[in-house]
Amino acid sequence: MSQAEQETVLSYINELKQKYNGDTLHFLQVLQAIQEKFHIVSPFALQEAAIAFSIHPSEAESVASFYSFLETKQKKGKYIIRLCNTISCDLKGKERIARQLSTELGINFGETTKDTLFSLEKCHCLGMCDQGPALLINNLLIPKVKPSDIPVLIEKCRNNSIAENSSSIISNVIVRGPLLDENFKPGEVLKPLINLEPTELLSIIDHTDLRGRGGAGFPTALKWKMAYGSVSDIKYVVCNADEGEPGTFKDRYILHKNCHRVIEGMTIAALCIGSSKGFIYLRGEYSYLKPIIESVISERNSENLLGKNILGKTGFSFDIEIRMGAGAYVCGEESALIESLEGKRGEPRNRPPYPVDTGYNDKPTIVNNVETFLDIALIFEKGAEFFKKYGTSKSTGTKFFSISGDCSREGIYELPFGITIKELLKKVGAENIKAVQIGGAAGICIPEKEFANTIAYEAIPTGGSIILFKQDRDMLKVAINFMEFFADESCGQCTPCREGNIKLLEGLRMLEKGECSSSHLNSLIELGKTMQLASKCGLGQ
Ligand code: SF4
């Protein structure tokens, strides 16, 4: 790096230091900004950023090396082409697209062209499972790519005519329920609640038995009551928009088309727990949604639905900031997400303490999924009894399902909890199905003989990802695809997960080649049991 280049980097880091007041909580944003400007977080930039933000250089390096969107070794190309590696895109012929890309650019995946115009990468789930194979070129999402599209896209990049920020992708919504009622008027739900006591609001949520929609199903009222009871000068509301589970794409649609409702739900949460600051943690792959969300936030600020003394209520102030993820699946786990928000490696924390007590910046924090906030807005719009009309006694309300794979009607379905897999298959036009993967790669694979089971927290729980496989699909290939994902996305904290996923992947590849003995297979099964017992978070388990 020349002296002039070093000076440019230094001056930019100084700018960032002033912008963020040298606060380490913004360190990830600093690295993201450096990456965006220089296409690399060079060792020089990393060292200088560490000095500017008073972080030990080794810690700075560990943050930079954690996120796949940050590159510390080789400058990334002006255009980063990411091909979705998820099984849903696999089923639709992703490999042909991969070959075409490599041939056209003359590089392999993981490489950058000599003229530094293009980098070619595989990534995990772009949230386009109903419209695969999917590509992301910088911020531009491209669905249903055909091999013949590749030369055209590359040529457009070469002559600077690709419209990088024009993604207007929406998903196919096949079945709409009450959550997607489009007659929602911003502020109308919040206005009648503004002077109610938090305890009154919390008891209404409690009455609905709403459970978090991220997949774990923790009772929302219980979580929020604990945060309400925590004494602190500041509390935080976090919307987990890091939808990264392979096969899920509903939050992308919700944020695109129902963002007001999500933010209304977040504002009600702030009212419930006494929070003045919110974050939307948006996955890096959805960066095209950022301006859409920003415009909703600014509209709500100008309508006094966010900001100071909301709707004239003295002392009730609530601001929302968008923070971008940087390509790490494990940040969908709430404590890892908080670590990432704090500018660190997104590694899951030991618990207790729980975020409701010691969350972002050690302050009480609630983290809820996009869909949960939508449910909150609906509950206060239509009432607890209306909400409880849907679903089962232990799983109230409706649920969004992202359906992809072997069926004729892929897309988003809003259906009540309690539907059987068999009923679902009929609705989506699926025939001759032998297995249904529920809950993404980290979920469970249901064989045909269990299709009478229902989808609900008390039976088969799910965050919403459902991938269908017909009779002639090779399930070993599916398992290999999932294991590649886990081996790649393990944060590496726990040895059984870090090493075990690689061993399991090697074992599956041996099986594929017919080289895995039954005694080795048994040892892999034992390894799997150890991983379930000894891993800290859901990924390893
Ligand atoms: Fe990280 Fe895996 Fe441990 Fe989770 S189980 S904390 S992903 S190493």
Side-chain angles (χ1 to χ4, degrees):
M1 188 183 269
S2 70
Q3 196 176 343
E5 284 169 329
Q6 287 189 354
E7 277 165 17
T8 313
V9 170
L10 268 178
S11 128
Y12 189 54
I13 289 172
N14 266 330
E15 235 178 79
L16 294 168
K17 185 182 176 181
Q18 277 172 22
K19 179 177 176 185
Y20 295 121
N21 215 9
D23 188 345
T24 55
L25 291 173
H26 294 278
F27 195 62
L28 176 57
Q29 288 165 282
V30 169
L31 298 185
Q32 288 170 310
I34 294 171
Q35 175 72 48
E36 194 172 333
K37 191 167 175 73
F38 302 106
H39 304 283
I40 184 170
V41 182
S42 65
F44 175 79
L46 196 54
Q47 274 180 24
E48 292 300 331
I51 293 165
F53 284 79
S54 310
I55 288 175
H56 193 279
S58 63
E59 198 184 329
E61 205 174 316
S62 82
V63 176
S65 62
F66 185 79
Y67 296 94
S68 68
F69 280 22
L70 302 177
E71 179 58 64
T72 54
K73 293 186 176 70
Q74 185 195 14
K75 198 170 181 175
K76 286 203 184 185
K78 180 180 173 195
Y79 295 102
I80 302 171
I81 302 182
R82 294 187 166 97
L83 175 65
C84 183
N85 199 37
T86 291
I87 190 69
S88 313
C89 282
D90 240 14
L91 301 181
K92 297 191 177 92
K94 172 211 76 189
E95 272 315 313
R96 287 188 306 143
I97 307 297
R99 278 197 301 276
Q100 190 71 33
L101 279 164
S102 272
T103 309
E104 288 290 333
L105 295 173
I107 53 172
N108 293 316
F109 280 80
E111 294 179 351
T112 297
T113 52
K114 283 208 176 78
D115 57 4
T116 64
L117 199 54
F118 297 98
S119 291
L120 197 50
E121 297 183 357
K122 281 190 182 164
C123 69
H124 299 300
C125 207
L126 289 174
M128 299 295 296
C129 321
D130 58 337
Q131 298 169 65
L135 272 186
L136 182 70
I137 303 183
N138 291 354
N139 292 334
L140 180 71
L141 266 172
I142 306 167
K144 295 186 178 175
V145 185
K146 299 184 290 301
S148 57
D149 297 336
I150 300 300
V152 181
L153 288 167
I154 287 173
E155 193 47 36
K156 278 189 176 174
C157 291
R158 285 196 204 282
N159 61 30
N160 274 325
S161 65
I162 193 130
E164 278 186 64
N165 290 306
S166 71
S167 297
S168 56
I169 303 298
I170 53 169
S171 292
N172 313 304
V173 179
I174 315 284
V175 176
R176 281 173 186 275
L179 285 169
L180 291 183
D181 179 358
E182 298 217 319
N183 297 318
F184 182 78
K185 291 196 183 65
E188 289 300 303
V189 177
L190 188 60
K191 276 177 200 156
L193 313 178
I194 199 81
N195 289 314
L196 293 186
E197 289 297 321
T199 46
E200 285 177 77
L201 299 171
L202 288 166
S203 81
I204 292 169
I205 301 171
D206 202 4
H207 182 62
T208 64
D209 296 319
L210 173 67
R211 296 170 72 164
R213 298 307 201 229
F218 193 82
T220 306
L222 181 58
K223 186 192 271 188
W224 291 15
K225 277 181 191 170
M226 288 191 278
Y228 168 68
S230 295
V231 180
S232 175
D233 55 339
I234 186 163
K235 298 179 188 179
Y236 297 97
V237 172
V238 179
C239 174
N240 183 349
D242 194 39
E243 169 178 72
E245 193 63 71
T248 182
F249 45 90
K250 66 190 174 62
D251 291 350
R252 182 172 55 73
Y253 174 82
I254 295 170
L255 284 166
H256 195 163
K257 290 293 181 186
N258 291 267
C259 189
H260 266 293
R261 213 177 219 177
V262 174
I263 296 185
E264 194 117 342
M266 287 180 73
T267 315
I268 295 168
L271 202 54
C272 287
I273 69 161
S275 163
S276 56
K277 173 86 188 178
F279 292 105
I280 296 177
Y281 186 94
L282 182 65
R283 67 187 301 235
E285 291 84 348
Y286 290 177
S287 56
Y288 81 96
L289 288 177
K290 194 173 173 224
I292 295 169
I293 303 171
E294 276 169 346
S295 105
V296 169
I297 291 174
S298 122
E299 209 180 302
R300 292 183 74 91
N301 270 310
S302 60
E303 298 288 322
N304 193 218
L305 297 171
L306 282 176
K308 296 217 179 316
N309 302 322
I310 292 174
L311 294 171
K313 180 170 181 174
T314 311
F316 178 44
S317 302
F318 186 57
D319 289 308
I320 293 180
E321 193 185 321
I322 305 169
R323 290 283 185 89
M324 298 306 297
Y329 161 78
V330 75
C331 290
E333 194 277 343
E334 67 172 9
S335 65
L337 186 153
I338 291 170
E339 288 284 298
S340 181
L341 271 181
E342 292 179 352
K344 303 178 198 156
R345 285 168 73 87
E347 291 178 344
R349 292 177 176 175
N350 288 325
R351 289 186 277 189
Y354 292 95
V356 287
D357 176 53
T358 309
Y360 175 74
N361 205 16
D362 291 341
K363 303 289 182 183
T365 304
I366 54 166
V367 182
N368 282 97
N369 166 269
V370 171
E371 191 179 337
T372 311
F373 289 117
L374 208 63
D375 278 308
I376 289 292
L378 178 72
I379 286 166
F380 287 101
E381 183 186 3
K382 299 268 172 77
E385 293 309 325
F386 173 88
F387 182 83
K388 287 176 75 167
K389 270 196 330 199
Y390 297 91
T392 70
S393 61
K394 290 189 175 138
S395 305
T396 50
T398 59
K399 178 83 196 81
F400 287 104
F401 298 108
S402 309
I403 308 283
S404 66
D406 294 319
C407 67
S408 60
R409 291 187 292 277
E410 292 173 280
I412 295 171
Y413 290 69
E414 186 193 344
L415 297 166
F417 274 115
I419 188 167
T420 66
I421 297 169
K422 206 169 170 184
E423 287 164 340
L424 188 67
L425 293 180
K426 198 166 168 206
K427 272 191 193 302
V428 306
E431 284 170 10
N432 216 10
I433 296 296
K434 72 171 169 189
V436 178
Q437 182 73 20
I438 299 189
I444 44 174
C445 192
I446 307 289
E448 193 175 352
K449 63 179 189 296
E450 294 173 22
F451 285 177
N453 284 336
T454 56
I455 301 175
Y457 292 110
E458 64 273 27
I460 301 172
T462 176
S465 161
I466 300 201
I467 309 172
L468 314 174
F469 302 103
K470 59 183 181 182
Q471 293 295 338
D472 59 355
R473 294 293 182 191
D474 179 348
M475 296 309 284
L476 184 54
K477 283 201 166 19
V478 176
I480 289 173
N481 180 288
F482 288 166
M483 281 315 306
E484 284 171 347
F485 170 72
F486 290 130
D488 214 30
E489 294 290 351
S490 166
C491 82
Q493 264 193 101
C494 325
T495 311
C497 172
R498 185 181 63 239
E499 303 297 330
N501 278 310
I502 293 168
K503 287 284 160 213
L504 291 182
L505 178 57
E506 281 170 8
L508 288 176
R509 286 186 176 142
M510 285 165 74
L511 265 177
E512 195 182 31
K513 290 187 208 146
E515 292 172 356
C516 184
S517 67
S518 53
S519 72
H520 188 58
L521 186 56
N522 283 333
S523 72
L524 294 177
I525 291 168
E526 288 308 308
L527 172 62
K529 288 179 190 161
T530 308
M531 288 168 68
Q532 282 187 323
L533 284 173
S535 297
K536 193 195 277 185
C537 83
L539 191 150
Q541 287 158 9

